[in-house]
Amino acid sequence: MEKQVSGKLGGCEVRVRDGFWDTFADLVRETVIPYQWEALNDRIPDAEPSYAIRNFRIAAGLEAGEFGGMVFQDSDVAKWLEAVGYSLAKHPDAELERTADEVIDLVAMAQQEDGYLNTYFTVKAPDERWTNLHEAHELYCAGHMMEAAVAYYEATGKRKLLDVMCRFADYIADVFGTEPGKLRGYDGHQEIELALVKLYGATDEVKYLNLAQYFIDERGAEPNFLVEECKQREGYSIWTDKKMPIPTAPQMAYNQADRPVREQETATGHSVRAVYMYTAMADLARLTGDQGLLDACRRLWANTTTKQMYITGGIGSTHHGEAFTFDYDLPNDTVYAETCASIGLIFFAQRMLKLEAKSEYADVLERALYNNVIGSMSQDGKHYFYVNPLEVWPKASELNPGRRHVKAVRQKWFGCSCCPPNVARLLSSLNDYIYTSSASDNTVHVHLFIGSEASFTLAAGQIAFTQQSSLPWEGRVRFELTEAPREAVTLALRIPAWCHGNAALILNGTPTAYQTEQGYAVVSRVWSPGDTIIWEPELTVQLTASHPAIRANAGKAAIERGPLVYCLEEIDNGALLPALSILPGAEPQSSYDAGLLGGAVVITAEGRADERHSWQQAAADSHPYRPLAQQRPSSPVQLKAVPYYLWGNRQPGEMTVWIRINTEAGE
């Protein structure tokens, strides 16, 4: 069994130093983490209350009161602590560490004598532990706090939270399993599975890995645990506070529990639960050599990313259950694409890269990161999208009940605020996603082009280099070796899908041919300190079409440039964006706009605007329809597109990613 080096990516130490990403890292450290601390303490005016810290104080016996918020409210505190851990690892902050230590003291005080930890069941339902795994998120909350414990321990060396969660994990291992007298169950919302793998990595305690394997193996087995558990409750639901029809086994597809995980073919059900589970499956496939899990991961990856993923890296197309629907059903205006789901997709991609370095995994990781994830947070770090649409009409969001989940402006906080701290913990740990290394075959893979200082321990010895990246605005990356062993080492640079194979490599000033393996440019040699590589993937504007089965995009194109997806906003193009079309033959132009929200490349393109004046002239008594033959010609306009991640940061208005292709005669 391979031993995981938790947080090190196989002996890799990385510090991000990047002009683009340092802005986000600074924002998280200086604004997001403090702001979210205020939110967790219910101190944000006019924002939905969190109750999260108050729940822990009540559970710890420090104040009286009733439980507040969602049944999984503890997880918001856990993700905040995890983000703090990652931040402290790179930027020590005595005051922030003291605050985190106080929270950890509070968590420890809330832990029960037998090791159990969950404020909902301690405060509100002490006699109902493990009676509603389908809905109550007990193991989900446990998993998030385990991840926080590992991150904080690795950052500070302090074991208090780690010991709390090891004690809880030991208790869980005593409760769950196939042995006589144990509960043969699993959580309705996956998360603990991947967390237990991290706990194993931090402690070397194999029983945590075995417990993760148990939860994965048991899911979907017959008799279906979640169905049988619901029968025992006579259908009572904590969400409706009444008895509901007993679900059937096929309905358990929502929880990815309708069949054993190794038999699953397509991504179904709640999208966050799915990708969290797939992440754990990939972890276990790597650590145990389980071929059945690996095969399932490959199938589920392919279905998720080639048939159920938005161009922005969003997944989960319906707000009904925050779920997948079916292949190619990707509406733009009623989309869900929850932020947490894209973050989970990034987790899944990272684990697949650890299993097998294929550029397709890093391509998706990059797509989700540069578009859906950072686009979910405002540039001030204090407002967030839960839903990430590709088309917005503010009036419809306000007045159409079917679109009220689609917000035209980011929110200060949510009653269910799983997404904001998830963004914080991901961006605070970005260094873990740039590289992987294989010590045994002396190979370092570069998956993301993010400026950084990196050091790797390989069988050949120590190798270190700096990466300077001009992305996402320019297609130029420079690597310089600062330490190298006396044996050959392979550097493998990802050939991004967006450059379509057009990438130049310059070694020590000389253009150099390279071999390609699994989508990476591979250079093997004995390196010396001072060696340089210039890597130049071609970065141009392109118009992108979608599969014809994606009906929402028929006759439309999207604008992409490098890793970024672009969109039109009302502030730049006027209202009624669906009346605009783009000329497919005209070459879009890109230019850097230093005044746009800290600076960004914008794209202009020739387009047309449908004639509207004649309709508006007789608006009082005109019919909403008329013969096509009476339609007047469109007029030329210049379209202006901005990076999708920046939309909604200036003023509310319409937005669209997909633009009609102009097909007028003679064009």
Side-chain angles (χ1 to χ4, degrees), residues 80-118:
W80 181 84
L81 278 171
E82 187 180 352
V84 169
Y86 295 136
S87 180
L88 291 175
K90 296 179 284 293
H91 298 278
D93 182 327
E95 183 177 350
L96 178 60
E97 187 170 341
R98 184 167 52 252
T99 299
D101 287 343
E102 291 172 357
V103 176
I104 291 169
D105 289 341
L106 191 60
V107 172
M109 292 173 65
Q111 187 170 35
Q112 303 298 287
E113 290 185 8
D114 58 5
Y116 184 83
L117 178 63
N118 186 291

Side-chain angles (χ1 to χ4, degrees), residues 151-230:
Y152 200 75
Y153 167 65
E154 292 184 342
T156 66
K158 295 179 179 179
R159 289 192 57 95
K160 186 166 189 176
L161 186 58
L162 185 67
D163 289 340
V164 165
M165 295 316 297
C166 285
R167 188 175 164 217
F168 192 11
D170 292 342
Y171 167 73
I172 292 169
D174 289 339
V175 172
F176 291 90
T178 58
E179 299 88 348
K182 289 189 175 182
L183 184 60
R184 195 161 179 168
Y186 45 86
D187 205 53
H189 193 312
Q190 301 91 311
E191 154 62 31
I192 194 171
E193 299 87 350
L194 68 91
L196 284 165
V197 175
K198 285 190 176 183
L199 197 60
Y200 157 70
T203 65
D204 290 315
E205 181 55 69
V206 175
K207 73 175 176 181
Y208 300 146
L209 187 69
N210 293 338
L211 187 57
Q213 183 85 57
Y214 158 77
F215 284 128
I216 288 294
D217 290 346
E218 195 66 23
R219 182 169 292 272
E222 290 295 338
N224 191 292
F225 171 79
L226 297 182
V227 173
E228 296 304 311
E229 180 197 64
C230 194

Side-chain angles (χ1 to χ4, degrees), residues 184 440 547 598 619:
R184 195 161 179 168
S440 59
H547 192 289

Side-chain angles (χ1 to χ4, degrees), residues 500-517:
H500 304 287
N502 299 314
L505 189 150
I506 303 169
L507 176 61
N508 292 331
T510 301
T512 303
Y514 53 83
Q515 292 184 327
T516 300
E517 295 180 7

